[in-house]
Amino acid sequence: MRVVHKYGGTSVGSLERIRATAKLIQADIARGNEVAVVVSAMSGDTNRLMSMAQEMHAVPSAREMDALLSTGEQVSAALLSMALNHLGITAYSYNGAQAGFRTDSSHARARIKDVQSDHLIHHMQVGEVAVVTGFQGIDEAGNITTLGRGGSDTSDVALAIAVQADICDIYTDVDGIYTTDPRIVPQASKLQYISYEEMLEFASLGAKVLQTRSVGLAMRFDMPIHLRSSFEDISGTIVGGEDTDMERAEITGVAYNRDEAKVTIKGIPDQPGIAARIFGPVADADINVDVIVQNVSEHGYTDITFTVPRHDYTATMHLLQDLCVAMNAEKVKGDDTVAKVSIIGVGMRSHTGVALKMFDVLSHENINIQMITTSEIKVTVVLDEKYVELAVRSLHRAFDLDTTI
Ligand code: ASP
Ligand code: MG
């Protein structure tokens, strides 16, 4: 098999961890696999570089910021190559540009255009290991770019696609995806398998195990990901194409996100174009809107409520206050103590009444639902954040996800 491994910050967080990681690579080569590796910076390094930049300049140039942040990965890549050499394995470290990662020029959130990886394939074929810095590339003009925080997951998937690997292994400090957060529900169990689409829903809900973009890329090219622990030699969760033959449970898991705030603009004179007038400035301010509800217009007036990440709450309220005046609306209201709870699963496609069952369970616990949104494989409710744990626990139980141990 041809495999591209990725090691996150904690897996290369110290010299000792780097040695342990080198042994994992050695073991995979001994199994007869062709291996290339993508690394993150040693844990904490990217943050440390960021704070140094802040001390140098309040608004550092985006180009210099990328030049700085890309160095974290070079440290771990070179050290890991040395550790592999020490085990008798021929290894070469490559930074993003050397590895052939061509990107566009959007600093701090560059998109990968292509990976020119013939030299990396050659190393793999002769039993050598290329250790590639994650999270970075080079633009057409030769500037160093980075892919956004957590971007080495995306580098890993992109490299696996480029070298036509059979799978990409993402080694991290958790051993897989669980039916829900085991800190809230100790009876949560590890999923052996999850579809790309389900993983996208989990990832975008703040299960910060994988960068959401990496899952989207894997789905587009059907590149399965094995998410596993570098601390224990056990199999993790495979993220892959949907297995249509399988009999599906109603839902696969329960996710939540506390990083939410809710804002409402009330009494807007209803006319075509109001949504665009509101969401235009919000998007321009780089604020990510999620759940949106617009009320039925009454007597020519309507209300719009939506959620934003909590750290954007104050900025959003300011924006809406200005819009309220400009649009002749009645008032603006907000609440930054809300949270989102979702049930997720491709099984919803073949089971009916899943949403209703969710509402019943919440009502039974006397939890008030403030907003609802659904997709084909997800039902999300917005509720008071103090009910998150109760909601997650009761949903996990009601949908038969609690394991009996
Ligand atoms: N080192 C980068 C970060 O901390 C990229 C990564 O770890 O994936 O965001
Ligand atoms: Mg990460």
Side-chain angles (χ1 to χ4, degrees):
M1 277 220 305
R2 182 173 285 178
V3 192
V4 180
H5 293 198
K6 179 251 167 175
Y7 294 91
T10 48
S11 309
V12 291
S14 64
L15 298 186
E16 200 193 330
R17 291 296 310 149
I18 292 177
R19 282 189 200 105
T21 287
K23 292 224 171 79
L24 287 174
I25 298 166
Q26 183 184 39
D28 210 17
I29 292 174
R31 277 192 285 270
N33 287 335
E34 292 183 3
V35 182
V37 178
V38 171
V39 286
S40 286
M42 296 172 80
S43 55
D45 260 15
T46 310
N47 289 339
R48 192 176 52 81
L49 292 167
M50 283 180 98
S51 49
M52 284 201 289
Q54 286 304 326
E55 289 195 26
M56 215 39 96
H57 195 296
V59 197
S61 124
R63 181 186 184 281
E64 299 318 319
M65 200 65 191
D66 277 357
L68 179 70
L69 294 190
S70 67
T71 62
E73 272 72 10
Q74 289 189 44
V75 173
S76 49
L79 287 172
L80 179 56
S81 285
M82 292 175 197
L84 286 164
N85 292 160
H86 185 76
L87 296 176
I89 297 167
T90 308
Y92 301 92
S93 67
Y94 289 97
N95 70 19
Q98 293 172 315
F101 278 78
R102 306 290 183 83
T103 71
D104 65 15
S105 302
S106 329
H107 286 294
R109 53 169 154 207
R111 301 238 143 217
I112 300 169
K113 288 181 164 170
D114 69 295
V115 187
Q116 295 178 346
S117 57
D118 290 351
H119 56 312
L120 307 181
I121 293 176
H122 177 74
H123 286 312
M124 295 174 100
Q125 283 168 337
V126 298
E128 298 170 350
V129 179
V131 184
V132 176
T133 57
F135 163 69
Q136 57 191 273
I138 191 167
D139 73 1
E140 228 164 83
N143 300 300
I144 294 171
T145 54
T146 66
L147 311 181
R149 297 307 303 270
S152 46
D153 294 336
T154 302
S155 308
D156 182 43
V157 174
L159 184 58
I161 294 165
V163 303
Q164 294 177 314
D166 297 292
I167 191 163
C168 58
D169 280 10
I170 296 197
Y171 286 87
T172 176
D173 50 9
V174 297
D175 65 357
I177 305 292
Y178 280 73
T179 49
T180 196
D181 186 346
R183 287 169 303 187
I184 294 188
V185 185
Q187 298 89 339
S189 56
K190 186 163 71 182
L191 295 161
Q192 307 298 320
Y193 193 87
I194 184 174
S195 72
Y196 298 119
E197 269 182 283
E198 290 171 319
M199 189 61 224
L200 270 178
E201 298 288 5
F202 273 105
S204 57
L205 272 160
K208 298 209 168 52
V209 223
L210 287 177
Q211 200 195 32
T212 308
R213 250 174 86 185
S214 70
V215 185
L217 188 63
M219 176 157 103
R220 191 138 53 85
F221 290 88
D222 195 11
M223 174 54 66
I225 298 172
H226 185 182
L227 187 77
R228 59 196 303 183
S229 165
S230 65
F231 293 77
E232 268 177 294
D233 189 16
I234 49 172
S235 70
T237 301
I238 306 267
V239 188
E242 198 175 316
D243 182 352
T244 41
D245 294 342
M246 221 168 100
E247 176 96 41
R248 288 288 178 171
E250 285 171 302
I251 67 167
T252 304
V254 183
Y256 67 92
N257 192 1
R258 286 199 174 90
D259 177 27
E260 301 283 340
K262 178 181 88 165
V263 293
T264 302
I265 173 158
K266 276 183 83 76
I268 318 160
D270 199 7
Q271 47 194 278
I274 53 167
R277 264 191 86 185
I278 294 172
F279 294 112
V282 175
D284 290 344
D286 249 339
I287 295 169
N288 259 323
V289 172
D290 187 30
V291 185
I292 303 176
V293 174
Q294 174 170 1
N295 275 352
V296 179
S297 166
E298 234 184 274
H299 313 297
Y301 291 93
T302 188
D303 307 335
I304 290 184
T305 302
F306 58 95
T307 62
V308 295
R310 204 169 282 178
H311 59 93
D312 287 327
Y313 176 66
T314 317
T316 313
M317 286 297 277
H318 284 307
L319 257 172
L320 287 193
Q321 261 130 16
D322 293 346
L323 280 169
C324 182
V325 178
M327 295 172 74
N328 249 321
E330 185 195 328
K331 63 175 175 195
V332 173
K333 285 196 328 186
D335 181 353
D336 64 350
T337 60
V338 298
K340 249 178 2 190
V341 172
S342 303
I343 53 174
I344 296 165
V346 290
M348 276 179 212
R349 293 199 180 116
S350 46
H351 290 94
T352 52
V354 173
L356 175 62
K357 180 163 166 182
M358 178 187 204
F359 306 148
D360 270 343
V361 170
L362 297 176
S363 127
H364 192 76
E365 300 293 345
N366 256 320
I367 299 173
N368 186 41
I369 300 172
Q370 303 180 8
M371 298 166 87
I372 301 171
T373 166
T374 66
S375 79
E376 212 191 345
I377 62 160
K378 179 183 76 169
V379 184
T380 298
V381 296
V382 174
L383 37 76
D384 189 323
E385 76 166 325
K386 65 173 184 267
Y387 296 126
V388 165
E389 305 203 347
L390 177 60
V392 169
R393 263 191 225 113
S394 19
L395 290 167
H396 197 267
R397 191 179 324 116
F399 281 97
D400 290 327
L401 295 175
D402 282 7
T403 45
T404 36
I405 2 172

